[in-house]
Amino acid sequence: MNRLQSQLTLFRCALAFYTRLPAGSAQLPPTMHGTIIWLPFIGVLVGILTALGTWLFSFLFSAPLCGLAGCFLWTAITGGLHLDGLCDCADGLVLEASPEKRLQVMKDSRLGTFGGCALFFDLAFKACALTLILENTVFALPGITGFFLFAKDLAFAAFLARCTVMPAMLLPSARHGGMGEATKDGLTKKTLVFFLVLAVCLSAVQGLQGLCALVTAAAVAALFLRWTKARIGGVTGDVYGCLIESTECTVLLVFCAL
């Protein structure tokens, strides 16, 4: 019973940090130790809720408007947390300066030109991808079947994107004492292996589409992390957020292509 209560508390802590969904009024622990185990499942929840809201919009609006609404819901549920990391990475990592200066720019809350461009194209790609997936699921197969296929794709994309963060946490932290270190606190080798195996199994269940998404997302994540390590010497919380956004878009675009 104590173990169940402990996991429930960790889930509520993860829900409060990674989303804007209500996490209950009971007091949460002061640290994030152990919450990382719930991150991929939070992604599944985000994908399902986004799909549900977008599906309801489909009864009133056309696919392009529903795709835009779905993108808005996705952002609203997560509170733009990962988008903040995307913008900070775009502003800092592309800067021709020392690693220390790049980290300083990434910590700055102001949005720069590179960050603004990254934000626009990320949301634009996601909205367009959601529109195409909607047309091939919800609008092609009205009813619960279309919703199930749409929700499955969104939940898988969000889940897989968050699984890519776990291997990234094995890299050294570029900023000690930051949110990145607090996020990976409690990550164990057993947890890492479990989610990597689970990601491979779920991708195989999806068939060719899922396996292509897995390989492409892994390649994008590996290239991005290699570049990040070369630019700032490691990873930060912003890097995790940028990685999630990048791989989410990658998976969705693979679904559109196939």
Side-chain angles (χ1 to χ4, degrees):
M1 188 63 180
N2 290 335
R3 183 178 179 84
L4 178 61
Q5 289 178 341
S6 176
Q7 288 301 318
L8 181 60
T9 301
L10 290 177
F11 171 74
R12 290 177 51 247
C13 187
L15 193 68
F17 180 76
Y18 294 113
T19 74
R20 290 299 175 266
L21 298 173
S25 58
Q27 187 175 2
L28 294 173
T31 68
M32 295 183 64
H33 181 82
T35 56
I36 187 62
I37 193 173
W38 287 104
L39 178 59
F41 298 119
I42 292 294
V44 172
L45 181 61
V46 169
I48 291 175
L49 291 178
T50 300
L52 178 60
T54 309
W55 179 62
L56 294 176
F57 271 106
S58 70
F59 291 99
L60 300 173
F61 303 108
S62 62
L65 282 176
C66 290
L68 187 61
C71 188
F72 169 77
L73 287 173
W74 203 316
T75 303
I77 292 172
T78 60
L81 176 67
H82 309 309
L83 288 173
D84 179 68
L86 173 75
C87 295
D88 288 339
C89 284
D91 281 332
L93 293 180
V94 300
L95 189 68
E96 291 305 325
S98 65
E100 292 76 17
K101 177 63 176 179
R102 293 184 184 121
L103 287 169
Q104 184 180 352
V105 171
M106 290 170 66
K107 193 175 182 179
D108 194 333
S109 60
R110 291 173 294 182
L111 181 65
T113 302
F114 294 124
C117 291
L119 178 64
F120 170 78
F121 285 111
D122 179 83
L123 294 177
F125 275 124
K126 188 171 286 187
C128 291
L130 290 178
T131 299
L132 291 174
I133 296 173
L134 273 167
E135 290 176 343
N136 290 323
T137 54
V138 173
F139 285 90
L141 298 167
I144 197 66
T145 302
F147 166 72
F148 174 77
L149 293 174
F150 182 58
K152 175 177 66 69
D153 286 350
L154 266 59
F156 177 74
F159 174 84
L160 187 59
R162 284 155 180 80
C163 284
T164 61
V165 170
M166 295 197 176
M169 291 180 174
L170 299 178
L171 296 175
S173 296
R175 183 186 294 117
H176 296 291
M179 188 56 68
E181 279 193 335
T183 302
K184 69 179 181 180
D185 187 26
L187 177 67
T188 63
K189 186 176 181 180
K190 184 178 179 180
T191 302
L192 175 63
V193 172
F194 170 76
F195 279 109
L196 291 181
V197 171
L198 184 58
V200 172
C201 292
L202 291 178
S203 300
V205 170
Q206 292 266 29
L208 177 63
Q209 187 183 56
L211 292 174
C212 287
L214 174 66
V215 172
T216 308
V220 169
L223 290 173
F224 173 68
L225 291 173
R226 181 178 180 182
W227 181 59
T228 299
K229 193 171 185 299
R231 301 294 278 182
I232 58 175
V235 293
T236 66
D238 287 330
V239 170
Y240 299 149
C242 184
L243 182 60
I244 289 175
E245 285 294 330
S246 301
T247 46
E248 273 181 352
C249 280
T250 298
V251 174
L252 292 175
L253 291 174
V254 169
F255 285 169
C256 293
L258 297 178

